Amino acid sequence: MPILWAFLMSLKTRADALAMPPKWVFTPTFEHYQTVWSDGSLLAYTQNSLIVTLSATAIGLLLGVPAAYMLARMRFRGKRSLLLGILSTRMIPPVAFIVPFFVIFTNLGLKDTYTALIIVYLTIILGFVIWMMRSYILEIPLELEEAARIDGCSQWQTFRFVVLPLCLPGLATSAIFSFIYAWNEFLYAMILTNRHAKTLPLGIYNWVSYEEVRWGELTAAAVLAMLPVLVFYFFVQRALVRGLTMGAVKG
């Protein structure tokens, strides 16, 4: 209903949008989409969000999946404490880190940069990827890896050719949730960016002012912001389904 409401609101004139009771039958208009598109800044914000989101998601998977594999298969002292420390990144409210992050990145000269946002998003994404992928890897029979090692595979080859193909559902799920988190994140982006690295959620918020809320443009921008997520989900969903249909002995 919220998505349907936003879509219908983006097609209403200002008078229809503010009508009480709400109008369900009206003449649609695309003037709000034209206004948002002609503004020009939406494309820049979208580019910033794509750079930050894809980079954070890719780096999160690149670092998180091998870490999850080692935490699932290796035994070492302090492993439980390390897992708890990783989980704590999801337990503490993000607002608690605003001031430390702001001070650190300001002193390093990284405020209003892609690097700052990517690092901040990784603090959340990495913990999620590690715990998600570790649970998938623990479900893979250890005998498959032992058979690969007997056949002459190194630990890296076993991870690459045996474990990763069986973890495609987990990889797809982790990628989807990481992408959605980074794409929709608002709080850190508002504090750590000013102009150059401003992301799409902040660009949508531009249509909210002290005097009024331009509901038509706001909802039109929100609908456009959903499209990249839907496209990303479409491609990742194919990998998820392919992973579910793969067998452990498929040659």
Side-chain angles (χ1 to χ4, degrees), residues 89-133:
T89 61
R90 302 287 300 177
M91 300 166 63
I92 303 176
V95 69
F97 298 112
I98 288 180
V99 174
F101 278 141
F102 180 83
V103 173
I104 291 172
F105 289 122
T106 300
N107 292 335
L108 293 176
L110 294 177
K111 188 175 179 293
D112 198 22
T113 63
Y114 298 143
T115 304
L117 288 181
I118 292 172
I119 293 175
V120 169
Y121 293 170
L122 280 175
T123 61
I124 304 298
I125 290 175
L126 267 177
F128 173 79
V129 171
I130 290 174
W131 272 91
M132 174 70 73
M133 293 306 302

Side-chain angles (χ1 to χ4, degrees), residues 12-19 29 31-32 212-215:
K12 293 181 178 180
T13 62
R14 180 177 176 80
D16 291 338
L18 300 178
T29 177
E31 61 177 343
H32 302 309
E212 64 174 347
V213 178
R214 301 178 63 176
W215 290 107

